[in-house]
Amino acid sequence: MEQPDLRRAGLKVTGPRLKILDILANEAVGGHLSAEDVYRRLIDAEQDIGLGTVYRVLSQFEAAGLVTRHHFDGETAVFELNRGEHHDHVVCMDCQRVEEFTDEAIESLQSAAAARLGFEIVDHALILYGRCRREACPHRRRAG
Amino acid sequence: MEQPDLRRAGLKVTGPRLKILDILANEAVGGHLSAEDVYRRLIDAEQDIGLGTVYRVLSQFEAAGLVTRHHFDGETAVFELNRGEHHDHVVCMDCQRVEEFTDEAIESLQSAAAARLGFEIVDHALILYGRCRREACPHRRRAG
DNA sequence: TTTGCTGCAAATGCTTTGCATGTAG
DNA sequence: CTACATGCAAAGCATTTGCAGCAAA
């Protein structure tokens, strides 16, 4: 099921690539993994794959359109398997949880705003930073 | 005119800080400078201020709410003097030009989308990536 | 085989920090 | 005088890259 994706992308089907693809695919929707995250999971799964390879493979996947790279904070990039549909993100500032959403109205307003400025939009990043209401979220313990 | 800002922020009024504030203030709207950019302008202005200090001062300014740090690409942060009003950004992928805009409708749709997911929005980043129609823009020379 | 992949370690680029010295308040 | 700033160089991170050995096609 994943091998064709790799072939289509012009990438050889190798253990590391399959395994990394697998890790990304088994992530729940809204699960965004940093290279380190992927690396740790590989170690947990007894896979002997170097961090350098993880970066290389993730970059190749990105170039091939298999994954998308996000920069929710300015430091560490996180990767997400492309499931076809575009979406935006809400990130909880306390527990780092990420939720995804789409809003057609926002999308078209964006294009309109850009057109007004003489830009033709190729891509966009809309990230909302806030606090979620989840029980487990740290700020509920702090401030109530 | 700038000294009160520094005092209010609990920062001593020093040459480097005034000069950096000055550089940011003299930037046109839509001008976003990286630490290196600021540093280069300091050198051009014969100011002997280290790059480390530039970073330190910019971070302090950010903490004080005097400037905002953006990550248009995942690599280099750019800084912008806070002029009070919130706005979003359109970045030209070819010439790096940045334009600013505000759209009330988008803002409220964002809050609504977040609320639907159980988030209370604190901040957001909306960055549109596209191509501008400016004569000087590189892609016009490439593709016509 | 041949081309492309991997592991490892070294290199890179941005940003932060430690420390001794200097200066605003 | 004292607390805080600065310059400089070293350290820190995330990420990329060079290279020699290895594996997919």
Side-chain angles (χ1 to χ4, degrees), chain A residues 12 14 16-17 48-50 53 56-57:
Chain A
K12 282 187 179 165
T14 65
R17 290 194 181 139
D48 244 319
I49 298 175
T53 298
R56 220 166 356 206
V57 168

Side-chain angles (χ1 to χ4, degrees), chain B residues 33-96:
Chain B
L33 303 178
S34 68
E36 278 280 342
D37 291 336
V38 172
Y39 181 58
R40 249 190 299 283
R41 287 169 206 225
L42 287 168
I43 289 175
D44 292 349
E46 324 256 290
Q47 301 295 123
D48 243 318
I49 297 175
L51 180 55
T53 298
V54 173
Y55 275 106
R56 223 170 348 210
V57 168
L58 287 173
S59 294
Q60 292 163 334
F61 284 2
E62 185 194 17
L66 295 175
V67 312
T68 304
R69 183 192 304 241
H70 298 287
H71 291 275
F72 295 147
D73 64 356
E75 321 237 302
T76 309
V78 293
F79 298 83
E80 161 187 37
L81 194 62
N82 274 345
R83 288 170 165 98
E85 0 62 45
H86 161 81
H87 55 258
D88 294 312
H89 298 90
V90 195
V91 184
C92 179
M93 298 169 84
D94 287 318
C95 66
Q96 319 313 324

